[in-house]
Amino acid sequence: MTSYQRICLVHYHELGLKGRNRNTFERHLMRNVEALLEHEPVEKVTRISGRVLVLLSAQADLQAGQRAVNILRKVPGVARVSCGYRCEREMDQINDAAHKALSEVDGFYTWKVVARRNHTDFPIDSMELNRLVGAYLCDRFPEKKVQMKGADVEVHVEVVQGYAYVYALTIPGIGGLPIGTAGKVVCLLSSGIDSPVATWRMARRGATCIGVHFSGRPQTQSTSEYLVDDIAHVFEEFGGIARIFTVPFGDHQRKIAALVPPALRIIIYRRFMMRVAERIARDEGAKALVTGESLGQVASQTLDNINCTNAVVKMPVLRPLIGSDKLEIIADAKKIGTYDISSSPAPDCCTLFMPRSPETHAKLADVEAAEAELPVDEWVSELMSKVELREYRCPSSYDSNHHGRAEAKAAVDDNVTKLN
């Protein structure tokens, strides 16, 4: 009796270089994969021969396999995903599985077989497997050409751990490290193009990301908040964000605009944002703040102004986009699916009470002097009391962080809002 099961093989690159810590990184990747595929027909997720094996249920069809691949290719830590079959170690089944796997690849002309036998208890060695499967496929695809170097598609046959695994369709992933392996960070997240890309780059390096969005409400509409929620749902597809704290900042911006020199408004706005973000980060147990700043892109992102902003917090501030130009950032935004959302017009705190001529090379002493007349601690406490919380699906978020989550909820008291 012929017995096939659809599989997805998750290949990784950087994880394989982690030495004694490799098992930890693999476990994080497997947990993330299992959680993100919870609504797909998956029988089990396990490790096999230096990869992660996703074994789909016996009833899974081609569409189920394609859905799984589309999810997995976006998951940080995944270098590429292969879609194919597991079958018994019998040549009739192996040949048939190879035929089925190659039939599911579109738009190829040349192909080759790459066979590997891991254990000598299977009587046919790797070279003979190559010959037998290749001869079978030549008969089934007479219009296609065998090409040993630079073939359009490779049909892999691996006899390992009691089964044969056969696959041909391979899709590139995004690489990086599994989310949850690099600790937590708090990302200042707007509805613009840059900060979502910065957040994605940190998630791709294994960080569990928590967003803080500063809204211009009640001085502006809530449009930016809805757009940030849309961005968060894009990140949910790969577990890229745990939750977002929204801070209604508009009234305090109006107060700042009335009391400080116009040229310094933006810097003092940002210093208040950093103070609130750092307070949230400490409640969350995060180890760094993240911004979407790119050196010299706008007035607040010169070295002098960045220095004035940094000076107000003790926590490290990471800037993944600092050396990127706008075209590079836009390309990443399109790749991850946030560009169209971020291109929607939205009044937010970044454009509220903007001065005509902002300072581009502020001196820290001048900024601190302008801020000295403000009730800084009182205003930060007021802003913290108005924080609103939205939570999202993130497999790495709560495993060992229940305490941090409880503290975050306590910090926002009764002002918590949840997405339905």
Side-chain angles (χ1 to χ4, degrees):
M1 179 179 176
T2 303
S3 175
Y4 302 101
Q5 275 190 274
R6 286 190 174 275
I7 62 166
C8 292
L9 273 178
V10 174
H11 309 259
Y12 43 82
H13 171 65
E14 197 168 347
L15 272 67
L17 307 176
K18 293 300 180 181
R20 294 179 180 178
N21 294 321
R22 176 172 171 172
N23 284 343
T24 300
F25 283 82
E26 287 176 332
R27 284 196 301 271
H28 273 85
L29 180 59
M30 288 173 60
R31 179 203 56 200
N32 293 347
V33 164
E34 196 165 19
L36 293 168
L37 292 175
E38 63 178 339
H39 299 303
E40 299 301 325
V42 174
E43 184 174 302
K44 69 175 178 178
V45 177
T46 186
R47 279 180 285 190
I48 178 171
S49 190
R51 275 79 51 86
V52 172
L53 169 66
V54 177
L55 185 64
L56 300 178
S57 65
Q59 295 76 30
D61 57 11
L62 176 60
Q63 287 70 34
Q66 290 174 338
R67 287 197 308 271
V69 168
N70 284 334
I71 292 170
L72 292 169
R73 67 183 178 85
K74 301 175 185 177
V75 177
V78 175
R80 63 187 191 279
V81 188
S82 299
C83 188
Y85 296 90
R86 185 183 80 169
C87 64
E88 299 296 332
R89 302 191 310 173
E90 298 176 3
M91 281 311 306
D92 287 345
Q93 292 197 30
I94 291 172
N95 285 335
D96 195 28
H99 180 214
K100 290 164 73 71
L102 189 54
S103 298
E104 293 173 358
V105 180
D106 295 325
F108 75 96
Y109 177 63
T110 60
W111 60 275
K112 64 181 285 190
V113 176
V114 180
R116 180 165 66 99
R117 177 191 70 168
N118 272 21
H119 298 285
T120 56
D121 62 344
F122 183 68
I124 303 173
D125 65 22
S126 299
M127 291 186 64
E128 184 67 4
L129 262 178
N130 268 322
R131 189 187 69 78
L132 292 172
V133 176
Y136 184 86
L137 293 177
C138 280
D139 291 339
R140 298 304 186 278
F141 296 91
E143 74 283 6
K144 307 297 184 182
K145 179 184 176 182
V146 176
Q147 183 171 304
M148 301 311 293
K149 290 186 177 181
D152 296 332
V153 60
E154 295 181 350
V155 181
H156 288 259
V157 179
E158 300 185 19
V159 180
V160 56
Q161 296 183 10
Y163 290 95
Y165 297 88
V166 184
Y167 56 93
L169 179 64
T170 297
I171 306 296
I174 66 166
L177 298 173
I179 295 174
T181 57
K184 287 200 287 186
V185 296
V186 162
C187 306
L188 280 74
L189 184 62
S190 76
S191 62
I193 294 171
D194 298 349
S195 59
V197 174
T199 301
W200 174 76
R201 288 191 183 181
M202 293 305 301
R204 188 172 173 271
R205 296 311 304 162
T208 299
C209 296
I210 295 154
V212 178
H213 175 61
F214 290 88
S215 167
R217 179 162 50 91
Q219 299 295 320
T220 67
Q221 296 178 335
S222 305
T223 311
S224 69
E225 298 172 36
Y226 295 117
L227 294 177
V228 167
D229 181 49
D230 289 342
I231 290 167
H233 284 302
V234 172
F235 288 164
E236 260 194 323
E237 295 176 9
F238 56 89
I241 197 155
R243 44 200 170 274
I244 292 178
F245 293 85
T246 298
V247 185
F249 192 36
D251 283 346
H252 288 80
Q253 284 184 267
R254 180 176 54 81
K255 295 175 184 177
I256 292 168
L259 295 172
V260 304
L264 298 179
R265 282 180 197 168
I266 295 175
I267 298 170
I268 293 179
Y269 292 162
R270 292 192 65 80
R271 281 165 65 90
F272 270 93
M273 292 178 189
M274 297 295 274
R275 288 184 177 100
V276 173
E278 184 179 43
R279 182 85 66 88
I280 291 171
R282 296 201 183 283
D283 289 342
E284 281 283 309
K287 295 180 172 62
L289 304 178
V290 177
T291 75
E293 292 162 308
S294 172
L295 187 62
Q297 187 177 134
V298 294
S300 65
Q301 297 175 16
T302 64
L303 281 177
D304 289 323
N305 290 357
I306 287 173
N307 179 58
C308 290
T309 304
N310 270 14
V312 80
V313 295
K314 296 180 180 178
M315 186 172 284
V317 181
L318 308 180
R319 295 177 169 87
L321 309 184
I322 197 69
S324 300
D325 66 31
K326 197 67 176 184
L327 292 178
E328 293 170 326
I329 298 168
I330 288 173
D332 272 355
K334 290 179 177 178
K335 178 165 68 174
I336 63 180
T338 58
Y339 178 75
D340 288 342
I341 301 170
S342 297
S343 298
S344 302
D348 62 11
C349 69
C350 297
T351 57
L352 191 58
F353 305 118
M354 285 283 289
R356 182 169 297 180
S357 301
E359 177 62 68
T360 55
H361 298 286
K363 294 179 173 56
L364 181 57
D366 294 340
V367 173
E368 290 176 339
E371 213 175 58
E373 301 301 317
L374 305 181
V376 172
D377 293 339
E378 177 185 336
W379 284 1
V380 169
S381 296
E382 288 176 4
L383 288 169
M384 287 296 299
S385 72
K386 297 178 181 179
V387 168
E388 301 166 2
L389 174 65
R390 290 181 173 180
E391 298 193 30
Y392 300 88
R393 181 181 64 168
C394 177
S396 70
S397 179
Y398 301 133
D399 289 356
S400 59
N401 298 312
H402 294 288
H403 179 65
R405 185 187 185 191
E407 286 190 349
K409 286 185 175 294
V412 296
D413 292 319
D414 297 326
N415 296 298
V416 173
T417 60
K418 291 185 179 180
L419 280 180
N420 294 323

